[in-house]
Amino acid sequence: MKVWIPHETGHALLGELPPEVTVETMDDPARLPSPVTDVRFWVPPFLAGVDATALLHELPDLALVQLLSAGADAWVGRVPPGVTLCDARGVHDPSTAEWVVAAILSQLRSFPALARAQAQRRWAYDEVAPTDELAGKRVLIIGAGSIGTALRDRLTPFEVEFTLVARTARPEQQVHGVVELPRLLPQADVVVLLVPLTEQTRGLVDEQFLAAMRDGALLVNAARGPVARTDALVAELATGRISAALDVTDPEPLPADHPLWEMPNVLMTPHVAGSVRGLLPRAYRLVGQQIRRFVAGEPPRNVVVDGY
């Protein structure tokens, strides 16, 4: 059987594979490495969009698609019957949680304003001091999966109070249901979005959601851009009542003339939370495990069900 992966460097990171497995690098659909027959296992490029899914229907023997991303929104509903879709749950926990911590601290300690002052060679102490701080804050984490848990663990030393939210409540784990957001949002100083993009979460952050946030609260989006309605987000941020740290936007890339670029209360990064040097070793460790399970006839991990 053949396995297609998108990185030449991935070959050395897979670990030992059964002898019947042939791994080939396929990083450009316009230049296939071999005939499409007998490709049973495909790893698309990291953050591949909807366009990449066209290849699904050209691989007659395909049985499993293993994504390198935690989100599967571009693939859900497009995978042919009989093909299993798996995401990279767990691979991005350290990097995304790390980005969220950095973004929260940067906004609360006024790093964007200080960076602008540095670029202008201004000693801006009187403009920003005293800054806000993370200690004592109430952090609402919307998305209680593996990344949400990793974030909670990393924020624990900062002496914050946590509330975790998932699709449905899990009282035994102290996780609240999404239906409780109208009550929870006004209590939070920091609101972090870590949910996958599904039909249920698309537009979750709308006018009502934003209006429920307390004055001075910080919204952090490390999920997907369309989880927030951009027009509602821009309107609320324009009032100056809340601030935001965004690794994702809708659309992406954000047009150069978009108002979000010039808002002083917005910190933006270009969808880089998961793009770290440790990504490929972690990702291909998972891919190798999944290939071995597939060949052994064992059920794969991280199977995507209902968009999750």
Side-chain angles (χ1 to χ4, degrees):
M1 60 168 273
K2 290 191 291 191
V3 174
W4 281 358
I5 64 174
H7 301 94
E8 189 66 31
T9 55
H11 291 254
L13 301 172
L14 291 169
E16 187 175 353
L17 298 177
E20 63 265 37
V21 175
T22 299
V23 181
E24 299 175 338
T25 303
M26 202 289 286
D27 54 6
D28 182 356
R31 293 183 291 109
L32 301 182
S34 67
V36 296
T37 53
D38 202 31
V39 177
R40 302 279 288 154
F41 193 112
W42 178 35
V43 182
F46 179 51
L47 296 181
V50 172
D51 291 349
T53 65
L55 188 60
L56 289 168
H57 304 283
E58 300 179 24
L59 303 175
D61 301 317
L62 185 64
L64 191 146
V65 175
Q66 173 62 59
L67 304 179
L68 298 181
S69 59
D73 46 281
W75 299 83
V76 172
R78 296 181 172 89
V79 176
V83 177
T84 301
L85 177 64
C86 299
D87 62 25
R89 189 178 310 123
V91 167
H92 301 279
D93 294 359
S95 56
T96 303
E98 197 173 87
W99 180 91
V100 173
V101 174
I104 292 172
L105 288 171
S106 294
Q107 279 291 64
L108 293 181
R109 299 306 304 267
S110 300
F111 279 15
L114 290 168
R116 290 190 291 270
Q118 180 181 350
Q120 299 167 1
R121 304 189 180 198
R122 288 189 298 103
W123 192 260
Y125 179 90
D126 292 336
E127 298 175 31
V128 301
T131 69
D132 206 341
E133 60 183 336
L134 181 53
K137 288 289 188 288
R138 290 166 289 189
V139 180
L140 177 62
I141 302 174
I142 305 175
S146 61
I147 297 177
T149 301
L151 174 60
R152 180 193 61 195
D153 293 344
R154 284 158 177 76
L155 284 176
T156 296
F158 288 93
E159 304 173 13
V160 301
E161 179 183 324
F162 297 104
T163 303
L164 271 71
V165 172
R167 276 184 296 177
T168 56
R170 303 197 293 266
E172 71 283 358
Q173 299 176 16
Q174 296 184 316
V175 175
H176 297 260
V178 71
V179 295
E180 300 178 65
L181 282 177
R183 176 179 64 84
L184 297 172
L185 284 168
Q187 304 171 17
D189 301 299
V190 180
V191 178
V192 182
L193 304 173
L194 291 172
V195 295
L197 179 61
T198 67
E199 289 308 307
Q200 290 72 40
T201 62
R202 185 180 296 274
L204 172 68
V205 179
D206 57 11
E207 292 87 349
Q208 289 74 29
F209 182 108
L210 295 164
M213 292 177 61
R214 65 187 301 154
D215 289 355
L218 170 64
L219 177 70
V220 182
N221 191 356
R224 286 291 187 268
V227 170
R229 285 189 49 190
T230 303
D231 54 349
L233 184 59
V234 168
E236 191 66 43
L237 288 167
T239 70
R241 194 181 68 82
I242 65 170
S243 58
L246 311 173
D247 187 48
V248 291
T249 59
D250 183 22
E252 287 185 12
L254 199 66
D257 60 351
H258 200 281
L260 281 172
W261 286 114
E262 297 185 346
M263 289 186 167
N265 52 341
V266 176
L267 168 66
M268 277 197 300
T269 57
H271 206 150
V272 296
S275 297
V276 295
R277 293 188 179 95
L279 166 62
L280 292 187
R282 286 195 294 270
Y284 279 104
R285 188 180 308 123
L286 170 64
V287 172
Q289 293 169 355
Q290 295 283 68
I291 294 171
R292 288 186 284 273
R293 293 178 69 87
F294 180 83
V295 173
E298 299 174 4
R301 296 191 173 98
N302 296 356
V303 175
V304 177
V305 179
D306 296 332
Y308 288 81

